[in-house]
Amino acid sequence: MKWGKTIPIINHDSYVSIENMNFWMDLKKQETFEHLAAIRQPVLVLGPRGSGKTTAVQTIVKRKMGNNKPFVAVNCNALNNSLADSELFGYVKGAYTGADKGKKGLVEEANGGCLFLDEVQDLSPETQGKLLKCIEEHTFQKVGSTKILNSNFFLICSSNRSLEELHSLLLEDFYDRISVFQIEMESIEDLKKEDGFLESVLPSIWDNYHKKTKNVFFLDYEKTKQNYPLLMEKLLSVLKENNLLGNFRDIEKLVAYLDLHIYNFNAAVDVNRNWKSAIEEWEKYIVERNRIVQEKNNVNKKEDSLDKFSIKNSDDDLESLIEYLKWDGMNKLFRKWLAQWSTEKYGSFNAAARALKKDKNVISRALNEDL
């Protein structure tokens, strides 16, 4: 497998040009990342969704390891627990009903190159345990086989959660193994404060977006390029005024809205008339999305308040929590809190499951339950 060929289960395509990387990852972080790639030490990349984690990983690995090394990117959220073993480790002929031939797993595909586990917190405890042995010993077994195979790869994991959250979501040994070295990506809201940031990345996103989508939307790429200077000032202004919680993806969406309204699928182009409606629709999306994010953050704050709850002086806090979450929400919240508490107290999913006399999958689901 050559550089740029990703496994189908990943669903990510960034329009940020790697030439602009200095604007969203400082040189010191890049040098640290490259050094870790050279000595093949696991790296954990932290940052909010859409902050460029995948693009940063691809850029550094390509720069350090070259174009002809395998780069296997895995969307952990898309790994079905029942199929995770066969996807990651492969299987031999006859391992399953209908398995007429064997299949290479992602771990084997990554041999000699890089294995990138995107949003690693979504891996099940069982999968974490099996990967841990593979990470530590560089060995694995295909499903249906007892033969031990080798795979030597540079491991990179990414997550949009904090280290504290990851510690409660991942098996302790697995967390310790992948989190020795960490690199944190900044949000666009932080990067926007730097002079020249938006002015640098916006042309790159505009240009790459239209190169990638010209065959989909049948747009005249040269014409879109000509119209960019007319919109630059307006776009920069609206991006600076709005809270871009979706990071780079919010900029990509703005470009998409402009295409939809201005070019209208080969209809007559009227930039002056249509750009306002495009921006208005995009801003409506941003306002609604930010409202949903804020509501979710409020729920998280309610969860935090439970940790601080005291029978003596927090009756009002408990009453407001009950009013907010209702009966079902309180049940979920208690299960989540109990799973967090027991995992921290006993040190692992397995130990917590034994203490609570529950299957470890129940503990894992409770930790990841949405309220």
Side-chain angles (χ1 to χ4, degrees):
M1 183 187 298
K2 302 297 183 184
W3 171 266
K5 181 181 177 184
T6 54
I7 298 299
I9 59 173
I10 193 166
N11 181 23
H12 180 88
D13 191 11
S14 176
Y15 300 110
V16 183
S17 172
I18 63 174
E19 285 79 11
N20 298 93
M21 190 167 173
N22 289 349
F23 281 88
W24 47 278
M25 179 183 266
D26 63 56
L27 289 173
K28 185 175 180 181
K29 286 181 182 178
Q30 291 183 54
E31 290 170 358
T32 300
F33 209 150
E34 288 185 2
H35 176 68
L36 294 171
I39 61 176
R40 299 294 184 94
Q41 288 297 312
V43 181
L44 175 61
V45 182
L46 302 172
R49 292 186 186 275
S51 60
K53 297 189 295 295
T54 299
T55 304
V57 167
Q58 290 178 333
T59 303
I60 295 294
V61 173
K62 178 181 178 182
R63 186 187 296 170
K64 200 65 187 176
M65 301 180 72
N67 291 335
N68 61 348
K69 297 292 185 181
F71 179 87
V72 179
V74 183
N75 180 359
C76 296
N77 186 49
L79 273 180
N80 184 299
N81 195 35
S82 62
L83 299 177
D85 285 2
S86 59
E87 289 285 355
L88 288 170
F89 306 114
Y91 54 84
V92 296
K93 180 180 177 180
Y96 302 108
T97 302
D100 299 326
K101 58 181 181 180
K103 175 191 172 184
K104 275 188 176 184
L106 306 183
V107 166
E108 188 173 3
E109 293 274 7
N111 187 31
C114 176
L115 179 66
F116 174 45
L117 302 178
D118 192 23
E119 302 304 346
V120 68
Q121 75 277 356
D122 293 326
L123 288 175
S124 70
E126 292 79 9
T127 302
Q128 293 172 44
K130 291 172 183 176
L131 273 172
L132 179 61
K133 181 180 175 68
C134 180
I135 294 167
E136 291 179 337
E137 301 178 8
H138 301 292
T139 60
F140 68 98
Q141 291 174 281
K142 289 187 175 184
V143 176
S145 173
T146 58
K147 184 179 179 180
I148 296 177
L149 302 174
N150 296 307
S151 183
N152 188 14
F153 50 81
F154 172 38
L155 177 68
I156 306 177
C157 300
S158 78
S159 179
N160 65 345
R161 304 294 189 93
S162 68
L163 281 176
E164 184 179 0
E165 288 175 304
L166 282 177
H167 192 269
S168 66
L169 291 171
L170 300 176
L171 297 176
E172 187 172 6
D173 289 344
F174 185 76
Y175 169 84
D176 289 341
R177 192 69 183 87
I178 69 169
S179 64
V180 177
F181 298 101
Q182 303 131 29
I183 292 179
E184 190 164 354
M185 304 290 294
E186 294 182 88
S187 68
I188 278 195
E189 284 304 298
D190 291 328
L191 292 170
K192 275 166 58 175
K193 300 169 186 175
E194 302 291 332
D195 291 338
F197 169 71
L198 284 175
E199 288 80 356
S200 170
V201 299
L202 185 53
S204 173
I205 292 175
W206 176 280
D207 195 49
N208 288 326
Y209 178 87
H210 288 110
K211 284 180 181 177
K212 290 174 182 286
T213 60
K214 64 180 179 180
N215 295 325
V216 178
F217 297 115
F218 308 104
L219 298 177
D220 184 336
Y221 171 65
E222 292 304 320
K223 189 177 288 184
T224 66
K225 204 171 181 180
Q226 292 170 11
N227 285 326
Y228 176 77
L230 300 174
L231 297 168
M232 166 67 95
E233 188 175 341
K234 299 176 179 65
L235 294 179
L236 288 173
S237 176
V238 74
L239 288 171
K240 289 176 180 177
E241 290 172 0
N242 283 274
N243 192 2
L244 306 178
L245 298 182
N247 295 290
F248 286 110
R249 292 169 190 168
D250 284 347
I251 303 179
E252 294 166 4
K253 283 186 175 69
L254 177 55
V255 175
Y257 276 113
L258 286 165
D259 277 352
L260 181 64
H261 283 262
I262 293 176
Y263 301 102
N264 197 20
F265 300 101
N266 277 337
V269 175
D270 186 347
V271 175
N272 290 325
R273 188 187 67 174
N274 293 342
W275 71 266
K276 287 186 178 179
S277 59
I279 288 177
E280 285 173 2
E281 187 169 332
W282 177 81
E283 286 186 318
K284 286 180 182 178
Y285 158 78
I286 292 295
V287 169
E288 177 62 15
R289 193 278 316 283
N290 289 355
R291 182 190 66 79
I292 293 171
V293 171
Q294 186 59 50
E295 284 185 357
K296 188 173 182 180
N297 289 340
N298 288 340
V299 171
N300 291 337
K301 289 178 181 177
K302 295 291 185 182
E303 290 184 51
D304 292 340
S305 71
L306 187 65
D307 293 332
K308 301 171 185 175
F309 174 70
S310 166
I311 294 176
K312 291 183 179 180
N313 56 18
S314 296
D315 287 346
D316 291 340
D317 288 343
L318 180 59
E319 183 177 348
S320 63
L321 191 65
I322 293 171
E323 288 177 356
Y324 188 85
L325 293 177
K326 310 303 182 192
W327 179 268
D328 289 340
M330 286 297 292
N331 277 332
K332 289 181 181 179
L333 178 56
F334 177 74
R335 288 197 298 270
K336 192 179 185 82
W337 175 83
L338 181 59
Q340 289 173 340
W341 173 84
S342 59
T343 302
E344 291 173 5
K345 177 176 176 60
Y346 297 107
S348 70
F349 282 105
N350 290 335
R354 287 194 297 269
L356 296 176
K357 297 183 179 179
K358 284 287 184 182
D359 188 275
K360 58 185 177 182
N361 288 331
V362 174
I363 308 296
S364 176
R365 284 195 297 271
L367 281 170
N368 291 285
E369 199 160 26
D370 291 327
L371 300 176

